[in-house]
């Protein structure tokens, strides 16, 4: 259980709504941030628990920890609007993926191998503790995950050991078996690269509730 239960979520899409609903159902005080708060009016009315909506900056200020759930292409712009100083000292969970759909489906990556969105988020929020998390599963499986193969651990990476321990606590609270920590934030290069593969595996298996896991 995390002591300070205020969570800010940057985003108005499926990920922000799924994680917002999940954290609210676990007693967290959730604020979603968007450029257009009006579009989340019905979502906030229909969602049980303590949920509110504001600007990106409102959400970043609100959270004792903050989740980045913005489109890969717009993530750095969203952080600029949110105000990097509003993240100082905080755990930031980055769910975003730099997917390139310019050549259609399945996607590639806008950039990778020598850089990643996780690293760009950490560079932009130099005083925050960024952990890449949730980017490797579909939004319906982010909380209370159910896999035919049994309990699973979430892929994470980040530079701060304490932030990763806090992330694992949050993951367990949402029903994960724990975290699979692949090292520093530069590991985002490979966690983001898993997503075009995840899409191709989904096409091959005709499912979107799967996850890539390691078997030893
Ligand atoms: N959907 C999934 O199942 C899934 C799973 C794993 C990871 N992800 C990743 O999680 C992130 C969120 O995905 P999503 O499907 O929930 O939503 P999305 O459609 O990818 O992103 C929507 C959010 O991005 C913001 N945004 C888009 N362009 C922007 C710009 N130029 N400047 C500022 N903000 C901008 C939107 O802001 P407004 O609210 O102001 O419109 C909105 O909040 C993505 O990076 C995605 O790759 C998604």
């Amino acid at each position: 259980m995390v002591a300070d239960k205020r969570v800010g979520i940057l985003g108005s899409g499926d990920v922000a709504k799924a994680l917002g609903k999940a954290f609210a159902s676990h007693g967290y005080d959730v604020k979603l941030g968007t450029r257009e708060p009006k579009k989340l009016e019905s979502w906030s009315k229909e969602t049980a628990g303590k949920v509110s909506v504001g600007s990106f900056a409102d959400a970043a200020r609100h959270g004792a920890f903050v989740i980045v759930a913005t489109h890969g292409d717009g993530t750095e712009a969203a952080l600029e609007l949110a105000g990097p100083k509003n993240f100082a000292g905080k755990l930031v969970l980055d769910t975003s993926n730099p997917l390139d759909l310019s050549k259609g489906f399945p996607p590639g990556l806008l950039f990778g191998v020598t850089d990643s969105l996780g690293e760009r988020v950490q560079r932009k929020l130099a005083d925050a503790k960024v952990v890449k998390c949730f980017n490797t599963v579909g939004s319906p499986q982010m909380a209370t995950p159910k896999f035919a193969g049994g309990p699973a651990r979430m892929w994470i990476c980040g530079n701060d050991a304490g932030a990763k321990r806090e992330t694992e606590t949050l993951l367990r609270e949402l029903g994960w078996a724990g975290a699979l920590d692949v090292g520093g934030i530069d590991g985002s290069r490979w966690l983001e690269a898993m997503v075009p593969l995840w899409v191709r595996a989904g096409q091959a298996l005709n499912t979107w509730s799967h996850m890539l896991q390691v078997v030893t």
Side-chain angles (χ1 to χ4, degrees), residues 10-17 33-36 39-40 56 68-75 77-79 81 95-99 117 134-140 142 195 198:
L10 273 56
S12 59
D14 290 345
V15 174
K17 289 177 187 164
T34 166
R35 292 167 297 181
E36 288 175 70
K39 72 180 170 191
L40 287 170
F56 285 135
V68 176
T70 43
H71 195 268
D73 223 3
T75 290
L79 296 180
L81 288 172
T95 74
S96 65
N97 286 309
L99 297 183
L117 203 41
F134 293 116
N135 74 302
T136 53
V137 290
S139 59
M142 288 182 180
V195 177
W198 177 87

